[in-house]
Amino acid sequence: MTDDPTTALRATRLGRRFRGGWALRDCDFALPAGRITALVGPNGAGKSTLFHLATGLLRPTSGDLRVFGAEPGSQAARDRTAFLAQDKPLYPRFTVDETLRFGRELNGDWDHASAERIVRAGNIPLDARVGALSPGQATRVALALAFGKRPDLLLLDEPLADLDPLVRIEAMGLVMAEVADRGTTVVMSSHVLSELENACDHVLLLKQGAVRLDGDTQRLCDTHVRVTGLADPATDDGLPPDVDRATVVEAAVTGRQVHALLRHSDWSPAEPWIVENPSLEDLLLAYLRSDQPAEAAGAAA
Amino acid sequence: MIAFRIDRRSGVATYLQLAHQVRQALRLGVLEPGDRLPTAKEVVEAIAVNPNTVLRAYRELEREGLVEPRPGQGTFVRRSLAQPAAAADSPLRAEAAAWVGRARAAGLEREDVAALAASVLDDAFPLPDPPPPFIPAQKQKPEHTHTQEEDT
């Protein structure tokens, strides 16, 4: 179980506490290798903490996290992992060429040709100073640096923030091409849910430091239903009494109408109800909005 | 070669949009038998979707007998969908235009005509079976862009 090749990132009762409290607590998940996982959650949900734990920049307070079976920060894990932090740290005084050569010095298995190709494809002169690049060009150089490392696991913390729409597609296209080429496992956080919909095939949703949703995106959409119909005035949430309340992710009454998202429900309403599978964005929004406590995690805090 | 585009608001699954665009290109003669489809890498670099979405679209087209993967070379068009009988100057089109004209003269709105035509089409062309479930490849090694092992 420690070295399962189909799991890229495995957390077992993972927790990390800061002075202000628990950033992550009792998290269990196994992110599949060769897939593109969307890491979703409100600000402060623990997304960046998770990235820092996965790269060994932070140590867990409790529990355990493994990268392809190895301890984050160990040589074995570092060789296989590339991390692009939110602020894309590059040395502004270096030229692009110096930045790439720096990458070659720091990494044993370095693919200089690929890194240079990515930079050239963006029409970025190799002798330009990094500090003088546009945000889009800097992202491209940062991605070139990450891909040159030939990682098996690529961690991207808000890679598209502060980029214009054209550059966003270009940057995401670069990541997808790398996945198509090398089967790289990607874990990517973003607040722009619509952009994740076409790119990601797995989702990990964190809220208040706990895992709220973890699974294959298609499966999640298939096992949830969006129902809309006439509200039942006799119940608090407007849903008929025969709906198993444990399956209700969210329910909202507007006038005479009730609109709800149900999970794994065997409740199949008759004709006047509209029943449809949610889009990924719809599903994630419902979980982000819903306030039901994640198991009993809040009780002990 | 064709360029794909994605309508993110259409509500139609992305892989179906891609497959539809290939069929459209085959109907228009933009793609002909023997042409190579763009590789998954080329497609995803341009439109930023998950590579498995492209592979799924190509598998769907393969299932329909329209394309075939050739190991190590890519995915190639097997047959055309160009129908001379459906061309802009064909008698069939003239008949359809005359029928739409009569429907309009009878007071039907565009949506009424579309619904009527759709119901006739449904009678004449029953819906095919849904495609088998798609299992994304668990790719461990690079290369083989167009073949996939089933994960078990």
Side-chain angles (χ1 to χ4, degrees):
Chain A
M1 121 159 212
T2 45
D3 205 4
D4 175 2
T6 63
T7 300
L9 202 59
R10 179 188 297 279
T12 315
R13 310 309 288 166
L14 177 69
R16 168 71 206 195
R17 186 166 54 187
F18 294 110
R19 243 165 292 162
W22 291 89
L24 284 176
R25 188 155 203 198
D26 287 340
C27 291
D28 285 300
F29 57 81
L31 302 185
R35 306 278 293 273
I36 304 174
T37 296
L39 180 59
V40 180
N43 288 328
K47 302 189 297 290
S48 293
T49 303
L50 178 56
F51 281 130
H52 289 127
L53 289 167
T55 44
L57 295 170
L58 284 175
R59 300 264 160 223
T61 309
S62 62
D64 185 47
L65 184 67
R66 296 275 146 175
V67 177
F68 294 109
E71 191 182 342
S74 67
Q75 193 63 42
R78 282 216 313 266
D79 282 348
R80 304 181 70 177
T81 312
F83 174 45
L84 184 53
Q86 209 163 359
D87 48 2
K88 295 163 202 140
L90 295 170
Y91 292 101
R93 302 170 74 95
F94 276 22
T95 65
V96 173
D97 188 43
E98 283 164 348
T99 303
L100 296 187
R101 278 192 283 138
F102 186 56
R104 182 166 58 187
E105 295 304 316
L106 289 183
N107 295 284
D109 183 20
W110 173 258
D111 184 350
H112 203 75
S114 295
E116 263 193 26
R117 195 166 51 241
I118 291 170
V119 167
R120 282 184 203 282
N123 289 321
I124 303 169
L126 286 173
D127 57 357
R129 296 249 167 244
V130 167
L133 299 177
S134 70
Q137 290 174 322
T139 300
R140 190 171 265 276
V141 171
L143 285 173
L145 206 52
F147 293 160
K149 204 182 161 186
R150 299 165 158 257
D152 293 319
L153 173 64
L154 180 61
L155 305 168
L156 303 171
D157 194 0
E158 291 279 343
L160 306 177
D162 75 28
L163 299 182
D164 71 53
L166 281 179
V167 179
R168 297 174 88 94
I169 291 198
E170 195 183 304
M172 191 72 109
L174 267 181
V175 175
M176 295 301 126
E178 178 74 7
V179 172
D181 218 20
R182 301 199 52 244
T184 316
T185 305
V186 178
V187 182
M188 172 166 54
S189 71
S190 174
H191 286 303
V192 187
L193 302 181
S194 56
E195 273 173 353
L196 297 173
E197 178 133 29
N198 277 308
C200 298
D201 47 24
H202 195 93
V203 66
L204 179 68
L205 191 148
L206 298 177
K207 203 171 167 185
Q208 289 159 351
V211 175
R212 293 295 301 277
L213 200 57
D214 173 19
D216 178 87
T217 54
Q218 188 61 50
R219 235 188 103 72
L220 285 171
C221 292
D222 289 348
T223 53
H224 286 72
V225 285
R226 194 28 102 193
V227 297
T228 309
L230 195 59
D232 186 334
T235 61
D236 284 344
D237 56 12
L239 288 166
D242 58 330
V243 174
D244 178 1
R245 291 311 190 264
T247 67
V248 179
V249 177
E250 68 162 359
V253 177
T254 313
R256 295 193 187 87
Q257 187 197 57
V258 62
H259 190 58
L261 186 79
L262 311 178
R263 128 179 47 117
H264 300 301
S265 179
D266 48 13
W267 181 64
S268 48
E271 181 49 46
W273 284 82
I274 301 167
V275 180
E276 55 203 354
N277 286 114
S279 68
L280 181 64
E281 185 176 1
D282 190 17
L283 178 89
L284 294 176
L285 281 173
Y287 272 91
L288 288 172
R289 272 193 300 259
S290 107
D291 281 327
Q292 41 172 319
E295 290 138 75
Chain B
M1 203 60 112
I2 65 167
F4 292 104
R5 64 211 171 273
I6 301 297
D7 180 354
R8 286 167 210 268
R9 291 165 189 273
S10 71
V12 177
T14 307
Y15 87 97
L16 291 176
Q17 292 189 38
L18 298 180
H20 174 74
Q21 285 168 32
V22 170
R23 278 188 226 106
Q24 204 70 4
L26 291 171
R27 284 199 185 90
L28 293 169
V30 173
L31 283 176
E32 292 180 351
D35 284 353
R36 184 175 68 81
L37 293 182
T39 63
K41 184 181 179 183
E42 287 163 343
V43 176
V44 301
E45 186 150 19
I47 58 172
V49 302
N50 190 296
N52 277 322
T53 306
V54 182
L55 298 178
R56 187 176 186 186
Y58 284 8
R59 183 180 288 189
E60 177 68 19
L61 294 163
E62 186 189 336
R63 210 174 62 87
E64 293 167 14
L66 296 174
V67 305
E68 62 181 349
R70 294 185 199 154
Q73 296 181 62
T75 302
F76 290 82
V77 175
R78 277 186 63 190
R79 63 185 177 86
S80 167
L81 284 174
Q83 296 269 18
D89 55 353
S90 71
L92 275 175
R93 192 183 194 288
E95 283 175 43
W99 177 80
V100 170
R102 287 202 300 282
R104 191 175 184 185
L108 268 59
E109 299 284 338
R110 184 192 174 102
E111 286 191 357
D112 301 328
V113 178
L116 192 53
S119 103
V120 173
L121 286 173
D122 284 347
D123 290 347
F125 302 98
L127 287 175
D129 292 331
F134 178 77
I135 299 149
Q138 286 288 352
K139 209 158 72 159
Q140 300 299 335
K141 295 263 176 273
E143 272 71 290
H144 66 271
T145 316
H146 292 284
T147 56
Q148 312 175 25
E149 299 93 38
E150 303 289 337
D151 74 15
T152 44

